[in-house]
Every structure is written in structure tokens, then in C-alpha cells.
Amino acid sequence: MQIDLSSHIVKVYLTLKVENAGSTPTSEVLLSFPPTQADHLATVEALVTKGKRKKTTLVRLDVKPTELPDAPNDAKYFTIYLANPLKSGESTTIEILYLLTHSQEPFPAEIAQSESQLVYYRDSALILSPYHIKQQTTFIKTPSTKVESFTRVEPSNRAGTEIKYGPYEDHPPYSFSPILIHFENNSPFAVVEELVREVEISHWGNLQVTEQYTLVHAGARHKGVFSRVDYQSRPTLNGASSLRYLLARLPPRVHSVYYRDEIGNISSSHLRTDSRKSELEIEPRYPLFGGWKATFVIGYGLPLQDFLFETSDDRRYLNFTFGCPLLETVVDKLTVKVVLPEGSKDPSAVVPFPVEQHLETKYSYLDVVGRTVVVMEKKNLVPAHNSHFQVICLLHLQANLHACGAFDVGVRVLLVFRGLCSLPAHRSFHTQVKHRSIRNKKIANSSKLSLFRLQ
Amino acid sequence: MLSDTKLFQAFLRITVTSAVAVGGIALGLGMVSGYISPWTGRFYSLLDPTYAKDHIPIIASVSEHQPTAWSSFMFDFHILLFLFPAGLYFCFKRLSDATIFIVMYGLTSMYFAGVMVRLILVATPAVCLISAIAVSATVKNLTVLLRSKNKVVQTGSTKGSGGSKSSSKALLDQSQPFQKNGAIALLFGAFYLLSRYATHCTWVTSEAYSSPSIVLAARGAHGNRVIFDDYREAYFWLRQNTPQDAKVMSWWDYGYQITAMGNRTVIVDNNTWNNTHIATVGRAMSSYEDEAIEIIRSLDVDYVLVVFGGVTGYSSDDINKFLWMVRIGGGVFPVIKEPDYLVNGEYRVDKGAAPKMLNCLMYKLCYYRFGEMMTEYGKPPG
């Protein structure tokens, strides 16, 4: 087991060699987690290697959360479904990767500008497993060599940035040996508390994405003064854990990128484009220290042909990335809204992980019936969630012409009305000319002429 | 039957009398009830420019109320400055109702523009018109010279034909041989002046009247554009990272900006009419730290904002405005005396500054650890 603590997202790589010690073939392997870890679990992935030594491919396996009635101490379970059932006596190797967020607790909870940030990481030397453990070794990688303390569970050893626990032999199921590591972690603890992403599809050929961020520094809170003199003169010593800049990875061929907040445009950003990707480096207005927050909006446009496709049965689908384009940030709550053009019917979303979906209506320019919005919400995301999702819908082009049709009809009615209104005016002009010429002669005729005008 | 003109005269007389009467009554009512403010000190200073400096320092401190310097005139008017007297001459040359009106308007507004800088705006239409008269008259005379034919003066026949058209065509004076060339040269000169004036106007508009004073731009060492967004950085930090009910004390120049962008309560802002309140803030900024903290606590202030331009060479910061804070504070609280902050009548902020200056709150806040800052490469810090 390898635990990577170098950023604030904890990456755990488990290499499980599972042996079927029972008598029946099984195709399910259970993974269990203590409840505190399960709350902070962002993703669980399982892979199995296939093929010979030179040509190995990784096959992804399904992992689903399951409920077991007699879980000791409220442990949470995930089931891995193997591609081929494992026969009795056989063993197979599964690679599991899971990511934990908010698992590094800053201690001391408040630091001054010149101090570096130290965090706690709590885990167990033995993985919590419903199966008997024959042998286990754990390697923990810290971001720097500065480790204040770590729990010693013999045999344990520390060399440079790596701490080794194990190997442990022959432990019963659900054995748990808590360890606590106190180490220095100055990587930026960027947490986006809330992100609302709106993707608007326009049939004029443009996909407009607007993202509203609430960014917070989730590390040790800042206490004392902030001295700009110190911060700029010795950046490695002062404010080592502050958030100076963030990198966002955007699709290629992006245009009209803007970065602003409530009070105006923020000029400290750089956009570097490539044929394969675009990178937007943004600096918040002020460096973020622990407990400080900043809100901003990033918006950009993309060409529609890169993302909108047609299926074989005349349905259109949008293929776009779900998740926050900022690298190395945790998103606590993400809302993705896909605004479909007017007249779309039967929208549905296909997302590789569970999300909450519902539909809304949005009214925009030249809308008659409103545009359908597919809203998807998810909590606790990491950059690994930046996979593609699809939104499929039926498009009725006739419905799209509603606005044009209404405009057309309106113009026709206006012209007819003007024509109708203008006819009496012409008539009265003529009668007035006549009227004036005969006024002096026959006053009796004027009443007849006025009758004529009224007709 | 009444004829139209008589009816119209009567109608005009009645309308004008009633309009004047209603206006007068409304004005009287307004002044009595206090709806229209009385003739305050700002207007007295138009007639006596030294009035405000002695009696109401806060009005004197506003930079737009200062008497106009010649550089302001040149900056805003450019060539109109010497075309104005020339235009006055041409106006007097052809006196009519219109020119008398413009002369009176121009002279009155120029007098008041000389008293207060912000009244240059009032003088601008008159100055433009009178200068235009000057330019038009000059150019007309020159082009007439250009278009006249080179006639040999013959006493008999030409006199008759010349006399009828003397107003439109001037005969060339034979004693000055190169008049036509001179006219062409002067015309080119006039057009060159006008084109320079147009260039100057567009430059002034872009540099002085369009650039936002809240975002400052400068050229870096490599010619790249460096943007100083410090104001908005500070205001946004206040907005995001301070409690909602925090109170910020700053000089009144930044009051509106803090309220709008920082979304926090300020102690004084641009519209504060209470002179004593502003004087309290001025007194807090110019007292020793232990006295200042008492005043600040009594005002229930959580944050103090000062603007200091020493690192970037920004010249309109709070240290520059500091003497006005002293004068305004001293106008209400006699404990603050302006000579305490000056050395031999001179305002210094370096090592040789007055001891009261070196220990007051504003100085301490601005120059805190400034000695360690490097302002430019190769220069000693601070």
C-alpha cells in the first residue's frame, strides 16, 4: 500500500493480491473503510492488469458502494466486481486507487506568516479488511523530509521522505492499528467551496462556459500580521503555504477568456494556448493565507464542433468535461448546468459517476418557451473527476424557428395594420384639398363630404 | 378682431410676468424653508479666494477648489489661451448683439475660472467660441489675400470695378511683393497649429480624463506594461476577509470606494458634511499612537486604511495630503498645531522631520519598516 501525502489530496495506491480461500468461485471483492475515511472518500477505482509481461493492459473494474448489515463499528463497504470469477484456490492482483480529501488536519491550527504549515494524517498501519491479511507493507510518502513525529508500530522505519510500516504478517479480519503522522506540508490547500458551471449551447456555433468560484484556503488559519515586505523579500520563508496562483487546464481553441469578480476585471492572469490544450494561470487579487477566501468568475467560449455530435438515431449529444478545470483543487459542491437550445426535447445526462439531476427552465434572448437546463450536482470532487459526460437530447428544428416565426408574423401584422391605418389618411388628404377649394362656394356640401370621409 | 401681433405681444407679456413671479415666489419659499441651501462658504471663496483658507480649511483642502495655476490653463486650453484675446479684438471690431453677449460671458467666466480650477469647465464654451472667431477671421483674411488677382492699379477703370467689390476682393498692395507667399505660409502655420491642438486634445482626454485613477499603469524595466491594482486588491480583501460589521477608518477620499467595493462601513466619506467628524479622523491620524488609539476606540473602528506611495513613486498618497488632515483637525481641535509638523516652515518626511511628525500615527503606519524596502535597483533602501 502506498500513501502519497505530497499534496492536500491524499492518494492511496493499494496492490491487493486476493486469493479465493473458499470453496465456491466468486467475482466480488469487498473493500471496507472506517466511517471517518469513507466520508472524505472522493473516488475509488480498481484496475486489473491483463496480458503478458511486455503487453500489459489495465482493465477498469466496476466499484460500487454496498451496505452490509453487520458492519462492525459502522464500516463502509465498496464491492469490486471482477471481470472473470475467481475460482477456488486462485489468486489475482487488483490495483486500487482511492483519493481522500480534507484528510490532512492542520496542527497547529493557526500559524503566523513566517511559520510553515504542519498537518496531521490519521490512518491505520493495517488496512481495514473483511478478509484475513497474510502480509502487508505500507509506504507513506511525505512532501518533505520534515516529519515532526509518527506513531511507531513495529517494524516501522523512516528514510528521507518515505516512512515504511511493515511487513505485518497474519492478521485477523477487521484489525486496525491507528497511526498518526505529523509532518510539514506546504503545498497549497486550495479548496473551492462552491462552483457553479454553466455551459450554454448556442446553435450559432459557440459553446459558452461560465464558472463561478468561491475559493478558500483550507490550511492552517492565518494569525497575526501580514507583512508584504517579508512576503516579497523572502517568499520561501514567509507565506510558504500561501496560495499564489492557480492553474486551470482548458480545452484547445478557447477564445474570449475573462477573469473577473464582483468589483471588476482582474488583470493578473496569463493564457497560454497550444494545439492540444490551453492553460490559464490565474493569480487572485491577493495571496490567500489560511482562512482567507476569494470569489471570482471565469468565462470562456469554445467552438461547438469540438463538443456537439450526432448519434445514429438523429439525437444530438454534448460531450464535455465534468469537473473543475483548476488543477490540484478540491471542490466541495459542484453544480453543472447545461443550457440546451430552445426546442430540445427529452434531455438526459450520462455521467460516469453518480450525480443528482433535475431540470430547470431558463429564459434568454428571443426565447418563447424557454430553454431546458439539465442541472447536475455533486459533492466532494477532485481533479480525477474531470472525465467526460454526455447530455443527449432530441432537437426539433421547427421549434427553433418559434422566435423567427413570431417575429415574422408580428412584422406582417404591423404592415397590414399600417396599411389599413394609412388609407383613411390618404382619403382625408384628398377631401381636404377638395374641401378647401369649394369651401367658399358651397358650405352645404361640406357635411356631405365629411360623411364621405367617415366612410 | 384683434390682429395676431397684438395678441401675441399681450400673450408674451403675461407669460413672462407670471413666469418671473412664480419663479421668484418659489425661490423665496425654497430659501425660507431651507430646501434650497443658502449661499455657503464655497461661493464666498469665489469672490475672496483667501476666505476659505482662513475660515473653512476643509473647503480649501479640496484640490478642485484651488485657484488656477497657469499650467492648468495651458493644459486645458492650449492654443486657445492666446487666441482668446485675439478673438476679443475681433468681437469688438464687429459689435453686434451676439458678439457683445459672447464677450460678456467670456470675460465673466474667465474671471471665475481664474479663481477656482473646477470652473474652467464653465469658461470652456465661451473660450472655444471666441477663439473660433479669431481663427475664422484670420483664416478668412488670409484666404482673401490668396484669392485676389494680381491687378495693376489703374486709376480710371479699375477704381469703378474695384469699388463695388472691395469688400470681397482686396487688392494686393504692390509695395509688399511676396504677399501671396506670405499668406500661404501663414495659412500653413494656422493649420499646423490647429492640427497640433487637435492632437493635444485627444492626448489630454486619453491621459488625464479617461484613465481610471483607481488602477495605475506604468512601464516596467523591459517596456512591458505593469498594472498596479493595489486599491482594488485592498478593497476586495476587506470585502471577503473581514466580518460583515467591520468599520474602516480612512481619509474621506476613499470613503465611497470602500463603501462600494469593500462593502464595509466607513467613518467618513466624500459626502460627509459634518466637519467635526472629519476633523476627528484628522486628529486621530496626526496624534501620537497612544492618543490616537483612544480616539479610534471611541469611534469603534476595526480597520484603518492608509495609502502610501513610497514604493512605487505614487504621488497622491496620504502623506501628501497629510498637512490638510492637520489643518482640518486643527481647525476644530486646537491641540493639533500645524507648525509642530513643519521644520522651519517646510514639510519634510525624512530623518530631519519634526519629532511630532515622526511619531504621529500616519507616519508610523506609512513608514513602518520602510527602511528595509528596496524601491529601485541600485538605490539604498528606504
Side-chain angles (χ1 to χ4, degrees), chain B residues 122-184:
Chain B
V122 175
T124 313
V127 170
C128 281
L129 281 173
I130 294 179
S131 313
I133 292 176
V135 171
S136 135
T138 316
V139 170
K140 186 174 177 184
N141 289 337
L142 290 172
T143 47
V144 156
L145 274 179
L146 270 183
R147 288 166 69 182
S148 65
K149 298 211 171 86
N150 209 348
K151 280 191 188 171
V152 175
V153 176
Q154 302 217 343
T155 43
S157 52
T158 49
K159 236 191 187 173
S161 60
S164 60
K165 292 196 181 155
S166 61
S167 56
S168 55
K169 274 196 194 160
L171 288 173
L172 286 179
D173 192 353
Q174 293 297 83
S175 62
Q176 292 175 331
F178 290 104
Q179 259 187 340
K180 264 212 170 149
N181 299 332
I184 293 175

Side-chain angles (χ1 to χ4, degrees), chain B residues 209-272:
Chain B
Y209 293 125
S210 301
S211 65
S213 55
I214 199 163
V215 180
L216 310 162
R219 296 267 160 206
H222 304 283
N224 55 321
R225 195 178 182 151
V226 175
I227 296 208
F228 298 113
D229 215 356
D230 292 355
Y231 278 108
R232 289 198 293 172
E233 177 181 332
Y235 299 146
F236 199 59
W237 185 90
L238 278 176
R239 191 186 188 126
Q240 299 280 323
N241 298 306
T242 55
Q244 287 281 66
D245 58 350
K247 287 174 260 306
V248 182
M249 178 173 98
S250 72
W251 195 236
W252 58 261
D253 297 18
Y254 316 109
Y256 273 167
Q257 290 176 351
I258 298 174
T259 313
M261 288 195 260
N263 206 22
R264 296 284 174 266
T265 321
V266 282
I267 303 293
V268 283
D269 69 6
N270 307 54
N271 202 21
T272 306

Side-chain angles (χ1 to χ4, degrees), chain A residues 269-333:
Chain A
S269 60
H270 301 278
L271 179 69
R272 296 178 196 103
T273 51
D274 201 329
S275 60
R276 309 260 303 279
K277 61 173 175 15
S278 316
E279 255 183 26
L280 176 68
E281 183 189 324
I282 54 170
E283 289 176 31
R285 279 195 198 271
Y286 42 85
L288 286 171
F289 280 80
W292 289 7
K293 70 181 183 83
T295 53
F296 49 88
V297 173
I298 296 181
Y300 46 95
L302 294 162
L304 194 62
Q305 64 253 31
D306 288 346
F307 299 98
L308 195 69
F309 306 99
E310 208 171 312
T311 60
S312 45
D313 53 345
D314 276 344
R315 293 162 74 90
R316 308 281 173 90
Y317 69 94
L318 171 82
N319 192 25
F320 203 62
T321 50
F322 194 96
C324 172
L326 291 176
L327 301 175
E328 288 301 317
T329 49
V330 173
V331 182
D332 279 348
K333 178 166 181 270

Side-chain angles (χ1 to χ4, degrees), chain B residues 17-246:
Chain B
T17 332
S18 55
V20 167
V22 166
I25 293 173
L27 192 70
L29 278 177
M31 292 194 73
V32 159
S33 67
Y35 207 62
I36 299 177
S37 56
W39 209 246
T40 51
R42 257 201 290 203
F43 302 103
Y44 286 136
S45 66
L46 282 179
L47 301 169
D48 176 18
T50 61
Y51 174 79
K53 190 150 186 182
D54 295 332
H55 296 268
I56 317 172
I58 195 168
I59 294 176
S61 77
V62 182
S63 66
E64 288 97 348
H65 289 174
Q66 304 300 325
T68 325
W70 276 110
S71 56
S72 299
F73 272 125
M74 191 61 195
F75 188 70
D76 281 323
F77 287 145
H78 204 240
I79 59 168
L80 305 187
L81 210 52
F82 58 85
L83 288 177
F84 179 73
L88 281 179
Y89 162 73
F90 282 112
C91 280
F92 276 113
K93 237 180 133 184
R94 46 187 99 165
L95 277 178
S96 68
D97 284 342
T99 51
I100 290 179
F101 166 71
I102 200 70
V103 162
M104 286 184 54
Y105 176 21
L107 287 176
T108 328
S109 58
M110 274 308 263
Y111 167 71
F112 285 117
V115 176
M116 206 186 254
V117 165
R118 64 178 7 161
L119 295 178
I120 282 186
L121 201 65
V122 175
T124 313
V127 170
C128 281
L129 281 173
I130 294 179
S131 313
I133 292 176
V135 171
S136 135
T138 316
V139 170
K140 186 174 177 184
N141 289 337
L142 290 172
T143 47
V144 156
L145 274 179
L146 270 183
R147 288 166 69 182
S148 65
K149 298 211 171 86
N150 209 348
K151 280 191 188 171
V152 175
V153 176
Q154 302 217 343
T155 43
S157 52
T158 49
K159 236 191 187 173
S161 60
S164 60
K165 292 196 181 155
S166 61
S167 56
S168 55
K169 274 196 194 160
L171 288 173
L172 286 179
D173 192 353
Q174 293 297 83
S175 62
Q176 292 175 331
F178 290 104
Q179 259 187 340
K180 264 212 170 149
N181 299 332
I184 293 175
L186 281 176
L187 266 179
F188 268 120
F191 289 134
Y192 172 72
L193 265 184
L194 287 174
S195 68
R196 291 301 307 166
Y197 175 61
T199 320
H200 172 86
C201 284
T202 46
W203 174 80
V204 162
T205 317
S206 79
E207 283 293 316
Y209 293 125
S210 301
S211 65
S213 55
I214 199 163
V215 180
L216 310 162
R219 296 267 160 206
H222 304 283
N224 55 321
R225 195 178 182 151
V226 175
I227 296 208
F228 298 113
D229 215 356
D230 292 355
Y231 278 108
R232 289 198 293 172
E233 177 181 332
Y235 299 146
F236 199 59
W237 185 90
L238 278 176
R239 191 186 188 126
Q240 299 280 323
N241 298 306
T242 55
Q244 287 281 66
D245 58 350

